Amino acid sequence: MAWRTVEKSPFLTRSSRAAFRDKHLRRGRGSLAVRSLLSLCLVLSCGYCGAESEFSILEEAQVLADQMKKLSSHELGVFTMQRIFNSFVYTEKTSNGETEVQQLAKKIREKFNRYLDVVNRNKQVVEASYTAHLTSPLTAIQDCCSIPASMME
């Protein structure tokens, strides 16, 4: 892109850029997204205007950065969430590591004992079923070679 060179641009002097910024960006007119877009357009257009001696990219970038920070904070609800977190009541809790470890070990032991009880009950049911099957089989024993062909379908 070619730079337009103009001796003095009456439209985009430092004071006119500042006036535009004050009028449209800082007084709360329009949404924050529109103001950020206007600021971006202002920064980009000033680079091609010929007011190179008066143009400060750092100053304009700072304005754009400020607007983008405001936009992100507003859209994400940072201040609202911070207000909610600040309203919570926090109490300081001192803890004894030894008692917490003992409580944790007790909970683990109780849970393990419950699982062990389930396994033992299953073992007893299987043993009782096997013993009952030995005395009176639940299913008839059949040799695989003597199975009729009609049952194979």
Side-chain angles (χ1 to χ4, degrees):
M1 288 189 174
W3 287 78
R4 282 188 355 184
T5 57
V6 177
E7 292 297 316
K8 284 284 187 175
S9 174
F11 301 108
L12 296 171
T13 63
R14 172 173 257 162
S15 60
S16 66
R17 282 195 313 266
F20 177 83
R21 191 172 52 236
D22 290 342
K23 181 178 179 185
H24 294 286
L25 299 179
R26 292 190 178 148
R27 289 201 182 142
R29 291 184 181 161
S31 73
L32 196 55
V34 172
R35 288 183 284 163
S36 295
L37 185 60
L38 284 173
S39 178
L40 177 64
C41 292
L42 180 65
V43 168
L44 293 177
S45 67
C46 289
Y48 298 104
C49 69
E52 290 90 0
S53 60
E54 295 178 13
F55 180 71
S56 170
I57 189 73
L58 294 176
E59 179 183 317
E60 300 300 328
Q62 185 62 44
V63 171
L64 179 62
D66 292 341
Q67 293 298 320
M68 296 303 282
K69 284 178 190 174
K70 288 177 187 174
L71 174 68
S72 65
S73 296
H74 177 72
E75 293 297 323
L76 295 175
V78 171
F79 299 117
T80 304
M81 288 301 295
Q82 188 62 51
R83 204 172 329 114
I84 292 169
F85 287 135
N86 289 344
S87 70
F88 292 156
V89 177
Y90 294 99
T91 57
E92 185 120 358
K93 178 184 173 187
T94 58
S95 64
N96 183 353
E98 184 64 31
T99 57
E100 288 183 18
V101 168
Q102 289 175 358
Q103 289 175 350
L104 184 60
K106 181 182 176 185
K107 288 179 183 178
I108 291 171
R109 190 178 314 109
E110 289 171 354
K111 188 179 262 191
F112 178 75
N113 286 336
R114 282 195 303 265
Y115 289 135
L116 188 60
D117 289 342
V118 170
V119 169
N120 285 333
R121 273 186 267 134
N122 287 344
K123 178 185 169 198
Q124 291 170 356
V125 168
V126 169
E127 287 174 347
S129 296
Y130 179 72
T131 305
H133 181 71
L134 289 178
T135 57
S136 71
L138 301 173
T139 57
I141 299 173
Q142 246 182 359
D143 188 21
C144 62
C145 295
S146 64
I147 297 177
S150 63
M151 290 182 66
M152 298 298 277
E153 294 175 357

